Amino acid sequence: MKKFNGQNRRNFMKGVGVTALMSAAGSGSALSMGQSMGGSGKGYDFDEVYSRVGVNSVKWDAAIRRYGKDKITVPMGIADLDFRQHPAVVKALQKRATYDNYGYETLPASYYEAIINWNKDRYGLEVKREWIRNSSALKPGMISSMRALNPVKGKVILQTPTYSGFRGAINKAGMRVEMNPMKKVNGRWKMDLEDLESRLDYETKCLILCNPNNPSGECWTADELRALGDVCMRHGVTVLADEIHCDYVNKGHKFTPYASIGEKYANSSISYRSPSKTFGHANLKVAYFFTQNEDLMNATMIGGGHDAGCNAFGLIACQVAFEEGAQWVDDVQEYVDGNFDYLVEYVNARGNMPGVEYSKPEGTYLAWLDCNGLMEKVSSPEQMRVYHDAQRDAGRRHSGLTREGCMGEWIVQNSGVQLNAGSSYGIGSDGFMRMNIAIPRSSLKTALDNLNAALKKLG
Ligand SMILES: Cc1ncc(COP(=O)(O)O)c(C=O)c1O
């Protein structure tokens, strides 16, 4: 058997994938850094401000490229983590990198076992090996399903406000977006099933469910999911359940996997997951999806033309994270929950954030801020004109020329904080801005203080 680093391949992969790498790391950098920084003593410290500048990160580097270094103090846009990676994952990737061949690989049984155990341990959900397929990210799997299950050029339902990237995915699949706007009742978004039913026709055979919902954070209850499922089943609509944010659930709430609410619902759905939001693996390009319905899976794989390959590093990161990351996830989630408490307290303390309304969400690490009270002041017709001219002079496409886009521009220019404009999240998003709070608390504090100072100047 071939050897590398003095070990045979089987032992090497075993060592990479499973054992307690944190303790094996001993005085390794990630472990000792967390401790020396006065962190948790567990080898990580979410309070650490860890620079992501200079590695082509979308959140930092793209924002800096667009607005200039002096303008970006705290970017709070794209949904990934500003925390360091789980130390065991880093160690495993470093170890894999020393084996200097990156040719085609199969996905080992241990990869699937890690997924199966994670689902069983965290959500009490049984997922069988033969139900699972890999995907390079969440959207490619979903695109394959849409292509396979919907009529050509058909419509895919989105319950808005919801994740902006779904629209691009639907377009890539060759489909059209059909929005089923939700209603805000007592501070919580509710699905409008009557409206949904009126939109379902022969052209519409897929609905994308986002649970927990990005951007507004609802963790849908079993009853809500069943009511949705009943409507969908009546019309032969397959539920494509995006559960990428499922590990971020705030105190007092619960994530309910769509596949757990009953046999008939599981049988008429596909669930899409990834460790990417949970652990910060987005650019390792690894995700998976599952369904107990063989026909739906075969259609996705064959009709949808799905490529189930995975890169060497993604699969190791996913496996190690699921094998060793449970405590890390509990800790990071608690930290984010604390950030939400801080944010809610800050926004609602008298005078701190005039024009902004906010209450704590059930899940995700995204805050959906109701900024309608700011619209007149920061995106008046006059300001829209200034914004328009600036966009034109910078040679930018005008598609982002919305009142929320203008508000986002004003916020960057006046506070150094970058948020996502609500306008890309569909009907119901007017006057909203999305803020990613998976960042060290000190950075959150800086962002809020800067916003507070900018808003105060408005009078
Ligand atoms: C709800 C939701 N689904 C999917 C994605 C994108 O996942 P991927 O990059 O794995 O396709 C995101 C990213 O923010 C998201 O919030």
Side-chain angles (χ1 to χ4, degrees), residues 74-279:
V74 190
M76 304 175 89
I78 197 160
D80 62 16
L81 310 176
D82 275 358
F83 308 125
R84 278 176 189 261
Q85 185 54 235
H86 190 299
V89 173
V90 177
K91 201 76 190 161
L93 294 181
Q94 285 169 342
K95 197 167 180 188
R96 175 63 183 86
T98 62
Y99 173 57
D100 38 4
N101 182 295
Y102 308 116
Y104 290 117
E105 293 177 22
T106 57
L107 285 155
S110 51
Y111 168 78
Y112 293 102
E113 275 158 29
I115 291 173
I116 290 166
N117 292 335
W118 184 261
N119 276 282
K120 198 183 297 158
D121 296 346
R122 284 200 92 79
Y123 329 116
L125 184 68
E126 193 203 350
V127 182
K128 293 195 175 141
R129 160 67 190 87
E130 60 272 24
W131 297 352
I132 309 170
R133 293 296 181 279
N134 192 72
S135 185
S136 58
L138 187 137
K139 288 194 294 285
M142 195 175 257
I143 289 170
S144 297
S145 299
M146 288 191 277
R147 274 196 200 124
L149 304 174
N150 225 31
V152 175
K153 296 188 179 154
K155 296 180 283 181
V156 177
I157 300 277
L158 290 182
Q159 298 176 292
T160 62
T162 197
Y163 169 53
S164 51
F166 288 142
R167 293 207 261 171
I170 292 170
N171 291 333
K172 265 192 195 152
M175 306 294 158
R176 292 170 288 151
V177 175
E178 177 75 18
M179 293 193 209
N180 162 222
M182 297 194 284
K183 289 182 170 156
K184 204 167 178 190
V185 182
N186 299 329
R188 186 176 188 273
W189 292 87
K190 290 245 179 232
M191 298 178 186
D192 185 343
L193 299 183
E194 225 173 279
D195 176 82
L196 170 63
E197 193 139 25
S198 73
R199 292 173 192 275
L200 298 180
D201 58 18
Y202 71 97
E203 285 192 295
T204 319
K205 294 295 160 208
C206 292
L207 172 143
I208 299 180
L209 164 73
C210 194
N211 182 27
N213 191 47
N214 166 10
S216 51
E218 288 72 27
C219 296
W220 305 112
T221 65
D223 285 346
E224 286 172 318
L225 294 174
R226 285 193 195 104
L228 171 71
D230 290 339
V231 174
C232 289
M233 275 186 289
R234 268 203 296 280
H235 295 268
V237 169
T238 303
V239 173
L240 310 180
D242 177 328
E243 300 179 337
I244 200 168
H245 290 279
C246 63
D247 290 309
Y248 287 85
V249 176
N250 289 329
K251 282 186 288 284
H253 299 284
K254 184 174 175 261
F255 161 64
T256 306
Y258 192 82
S260 73
I261 58 173
E263 185 68 14
K264 60 182 179 182
Y265 304 96
N267 209 37
S268 57
S269 66
I270 308 178
S271 304
Y272 303 82
R273 301 269 192 79
S274 168
S276 66
K277 297 293 155 199
T278 306
F279 291 95

Side-chain angles (χ1 to χ4, degrees), residues 26-82:
S27 58
S29 61
L31 184 61
S32 48
M33 187 159 309
Q35 289 170 337
S36 68
M37 295 185 57
S40 59
K42 293 173 178 170
Y44 44 85
D45 177 6
F46 304 120
D47 278 330
E48 178 189 4
V49 178
Y50 185 59
S51 173
R52 297 182 62 200
V53 177
V55 293
N56 294 317
S57 68
V58 172
K59 190 148 172 259
W60 284 85
D61 291 311
I64 288 171
R65 268 200 298 276
R66 175 166 180 165
Y67 296 103
K69 199 165 179 13
D70 56 323
K71 286 287 178 216
I72 292 294
T73 310
V74 190
M76 304 175 89
I78 197 160
D80 62 16
L81 310 176
D82 275 358

Side-chain angles (χ1 to χ4, degrees), residues 422-443:
S423 31
S424 48
Y425 297 79
I427 297 173
S429 307
D430 291 0
F432 281 80
M433 300 295 288
R434 194 188 78 166
M435 173 187 267
N436 173 358
I437 63 158
I439 61 176
R441 188 121 349 125
S442 60
S443 307

